[in-house]
Amino acid sequence: MSPIRFTGMASGLDTEKMIKDLMKAQREPVNRLIRKKQTDEWKRDTYREMNKLLDELKKSVDAIRYSSNFKKKVVFSENDGVVSTKVSGTPQFSTYAIKVEKMAKAESPAGLSIQLDNVVDKSQPLGAKGTFTINGVDISIDVNDSISSINEKLAEKSSDKKALIEASLVNGSLVFTSKSGAELTGTDPVDPSKKIFSASFTADPDGTSGKININGSVNSSARIDGEKGIVYINGVKLETTTNTVSFDGIDFTIKGDNGGQVVNVNTKTDEDAIFNQIKGFVDKYNEVIDKINTKISEPRYRSYKPLLDEEKEELPEKTAEKLEAMAKSGILLRDPILKSGLDQMRYAISAPLKGTGVNENFDTLSEIGIGGPPSGKYAYQENGKLYINETKLREAIRNNGEDVLKLFTNYSNSDDPTTKFNESGIAERLYSQLTKVMDKVTKEAGSSNLAFDDSAISRSIKDTDKEIQRWEDRLKMIEDRYWKQFTAMEKAMSKFQSQGSWFAQMLGQK
């Protein structure tokens, strides 16, 4: 129960306002803590934004860490009318000699059609109750069964090759077709060498044919068996059931036999894919270091502090936003973690690659056409931004692809950190440095993806919260003391006024 508080009834003073003014001075230590907490939260969130940028760059670097990404090929046939090609893996040969001895012929399935009454959907009940006999396999159906459920029941018996029949809805009719490998029980009366199957429906004594219109047994068309094709690729004989053959990372589509003549298929490095991959990395690198450099060089306005809630309420919204932006500016000014991280990243991409088999003419990025900004009075403002000489880079990819591959992807097994760094490709070095700086940022500011955040800034925020709570308890006691003091004063003045009135009355009687 709140105590009764006298607010100037005897003294005529605005007690409540006086106590509020007194408490403003008392709350200043709490306000400093609230501002400190807000600053810590801003710093934590900004750190996490920087880590998100570094993670984006790390993913871009990861795409060029592996040699397979530099071995992409394009392939082209000398005669697309006979053999067309598509790269599906990593081809090893530069040329493939294709000779088609015989093209494959696809199997033509056996099929039959049964008329249905007003059925427009595979899941629509057929309203029939009885037994379907399809290729000698009995399927019991109820009035709620549909074409879809007939398929499900056939699938349940698929271990019996006679059940390898598929039901479909085509133009309002129930169509049964044989699947590859189906064991058909009938023989084509016209050509006994070919196989057919039959279908019939028998309604239960208490059942109905529903929407199924069938009279007796219906025979399918004859199945025409497929024939294997024979293709020679670089002298290797391949038998295939289709006219698309996969060999050494290439899909060859056979379109004709070319009279038994050989068709050559050639491969070459996919210059565009590799160039675009490297360019994508450079673009992301420039974007990330530009944003981080901007953040660590923002001006710091020390006279601007985070606004308290009551201060925000007293200001126009746009003014409050502007003041908060000024207070937030420079929150990571000259930050040692990010500044050191940028320095290490620059060193990782600029130090020459060393090791066995490294071509000294292609051991740095600049030697393949990736360097710093053009010289000039504003070049220093680029802060490590990379520029690509497209002609030089494409030429290096085309003529020295293996050297470019090593420059980015070379891997070292050395246990010595210095040797390992020198012998590692640029992508491997940069990936390692990004991991280190991201770990430092996470240790400092945590991550929104972590279930438990024990970072330095989060611990500071928790400590500040506890200190704020202790101060709030203390301020409650101080405010109660003020009220008691003013209440006692009001009571004393009220008593004094009552006594004065009594004396005045007594004197007046005389």
Side-chain angles (χ1 to χ4, degrees):
M1 182 176 177
S2 300
I4 297 174
R5 291 173 170 174
F6 294 91
T7 56
M9 293 177 65
S11 65
L13 300 172
D14 189 348
T15 307
E16 187 171 0
K17 183 178 184 305
M18 292 177 68
I19 291 176
K20 280 185 177 180
D21 290 341
L22 288 168
M23 290 304 298
K24 280 184 181 179
Q26 295 287 352
R27 284 195 65 82
E28 193 52 39
V30 180
N31 293 340
R32 285 197 294 270
L33 288 170
I34 292 172
R35 289 189 175 98
K36 178 184 181 301
K37 178 185 174 183
Q38 180 64 80
T39 301
D40 282 345
E41 288 177 344
W42 284 343
K43 189 171 186 178
R44 177 199 64 194
D45 294 344
T46 307
Y47 260 136
R48 290 180 179 181
E49 288 174 14
M50 298 300 101
N51 236 12
K52 185 178 179 181
L53 288 172
L54 291 169
D55 186 54
E56 290 175 3
L57 177 57
K58 187 177 177 180
K59 289 176 181 175
S60 178
V61 172
D62 192 42
I64 56 172
R65 285 173 69 201
Y66 304 104
S67 60
S68 59
N69 293 322
F70 286 84
K71 293 182 177 180
K72 293 182 178 180
K73 302 279 188 175
V74 287
V75 58
F76 51 95
S77 170
E78 290 181 348
N79 191 338
D80 269 333
V82 176
V83 180
S84 62
T85 55
K86 178 183 176 183
V87 175
S88 58
T90 307
Q92 301 178 65
F93 300 103
S94 59
T95 302
Y96 299 82
I98 316 299
K99 180 182 177 182
V100 182
E101 184 173 300
K102 184 173 71 171
M103 292 185 66
K105 292 182 180 179
E107 176 183 302
S108 177
L112 60 84
S113 176
I114 299 171
Q115 187 178 351
L116 301 174
D117 292 332
N118 300 317
V119 176
V120 296
D121 189 271
K122 286 175 66 175
S123 59
Q124 182 178 342
L126 298 177
K129 183 178 181 182
T131 302
F132 247 125
T133 302
I134 309 162
N135 196 31
V137 176
D138 292 336
I139 302 292
S140 295
I141 67 170
D142 204 346
V143 291
N144 293 319
D145 278 320
S146 62
I147 294 175
S148 294
S149 57
I150 289 173
N151 262 334
E152 291 171 2
K153 292 180 179 183
L154 284 166
E156 289 173 0
K157 299 187 176 185
S158 60
S159 57
D160 181 352
K161 291 186 177 182
K162 290 184 291 184
L164 296 179
I165 306 294
E166 183 174 17
S168 305
L169 179 67
V170 180
N171 297 332
S173 295
L174 172 58
V175 174
F176 287 109
T177 53
S178 63
K179 293 182 179 180
S180 179
E183 184 181 299
L184 304 186
T185 59
T187 301
D188 183 13
V190 178
D191 185 351
S193 66
K194 296 178 181 177
K195 292 291 185 178
I196 64 171
F197 69 93
S198 61
S200 61
F201 177 74
T202 305
D204 287 352
D206 60 342
T208 173
S209 295
K211 299 179 181 295
I212 301 172
N213 287 323
I214 185 171
N215 185 15
S217 178
V218 180
N219 287 331
S220 71
S221 60
R223 178 177 64 192
I224 301 174
D225 294 331
E227 295 181 14
K228 287 185 177 182
I230 299 175
V231 180
Y232 291 87
I233 303 179
N234 283 0
V236 178
K237 181 180 179 179
L238 302 172
E239 292 187 355
T240 175
T241 56
T242 70
N243 284 311
T244 297
V245 184
S246 294
F247 181 85
D248 191 37
I250 301 177
D251 292 339
F252 299 88
T253 300
I254 310 302
K255 300 177 180 179
D257 60 17
N258 198 35
Q261 297 298 307
V262 171
V263 174
N264 286 323
V265 170
N266 301 305
T267 67
K268 67 174 184 177
T269 299
D270 191 344
E271 181 183 314
D272 288 337
I274 297 173
F275 175 85
N276 290 333
Q277 197 165 249
I278 295 173
K279 185 178 184 300
F281 151 68
V282 171
D283 290 343
K284 178 57 69 173
Y285 177 84
N286 287 338
E287 175 192 341
V288 169
I289 68 165
D290 180 60
K291 289 180 178 179
I292 294 177
N293 274 314
T294 299
K295 186 57 65 177
I296 65 175
S297 59
E298 270 185 343
R300 186 85 167 115
Y301 303 102
R302 298 189 180 279
S303 58
Y304 290 85
K305 305 294 182 184
L307 296 176
L308 304 173
D309 289 340
E310 56 267 28
E311 292 172 336
K312 292 179 185 177
E313 291 173 1
E314 294 172 359
L315 294 169
E317 185 178 349
K318 288 188 176 180
T319 302
E321 289 176 357
K322 184 176 180 180
L323 291 175
E324 287 228 318
M326 297 291 281
K328 193 184 293 187
S329 177
I331 198 106
L332 293 180
L333 177 64
R334 292 187 289 275
D335 179 76
I337 296 176
L338 295 174
K339 193 172 183 302
S340 173
L342 288 178
D343 290 341
Q344 291 302 317
M345 286 159 58
R346 292 189 190 106
Y347 182 63
I349 64 174
S350 60
L353 174 66
K354 298 179 181 179
T356 305
V358 173
N359 187 340
E360 293 183 357
N361 294 322
F362 296 94
D363 61 357
T364 62
L365 283 179
S366 60
E367 289 169 333
I368 66 168
I370 304 173
S375 58
K377 62 178 181 178
Y378 297 114
Y380 74 96
Q381 295 178 343
E382 297 289 358
N383 290 317
K385 184 177 179 181
L386 296 175
Y387 283 78
I388 295 177
N389 180 328
E390 182 172 342
T391 302
K392 191 173 181 180
L393 177 56
R394 285 187 179 277
E395 185 178 322
I397 294 170
R398 187 183 311 119
N399 301 326
N400 299 88
E402 285 298 318
D403 295 321
V404 174
L405 183 151
K406 282 185 180 178
L407 179 60
F408 281 96
T409 69
N410 205 52
Y411 184 78
S412 173
N413 291 314
S414 176
D415 294 327
D416 177 64
T418 302
T419 303
K420 187 175 182 65
F421 178 88
N422 290 333
E423 293 181 351
S424 294
I426 285 170
E428 189 67 30
R429 291 177 189 168
L430 189 54
Y431 189 89
S432 175
Q433 293 301 331
L434 284 166
T435 301
K436 290 177 183 178
V437 68
M438 287 176 67
D439 287 345
K440 289 180 182 177
V441 172
T442 301
K443 186 176 180 180
E444 184 69 18
S447 168
S448 57
N449 297 325
L450 296 175
F452 177 70
D453 183 1
D454 191 39
S455 63
I457 294 179
S458 291
R459 291 198 303 271
S460 175
I461 291 172
K462 290 175 185 175
D463 291 342
T464 303
D465 275 333
K466 292 177 183 177
E467 188 67 19
I468 289 173
Q469 188 57 54
R470 284 194 289 267
W471 265 102
E472 291 291 356
D473 294 340
R474 191 181 307 169
L475 290 173
K476 181 71 170 57
M477 295 172 61
I478 293 172
E479 185 178 10
D480 288 344
R481 188 175 73 242
Y482 279 144
W483 275 108
K484 287 178 182 178
Q485 290 171 344
F486 276 94
T487 299
M489 181 192 73
E490 293 290 339
K491 288 179 178 179
M493 291 187 70
S494 177
K495 186 176 181 180
F496 174 76
Q497 289 171 357
S498 296
Q499 289 175 344
S501 298
W502 182 80
F503 279 117
Q505 289 175 1
M506 293 297 292
L507 291 171
Q509 288 177 3
K510 295 179 178 181

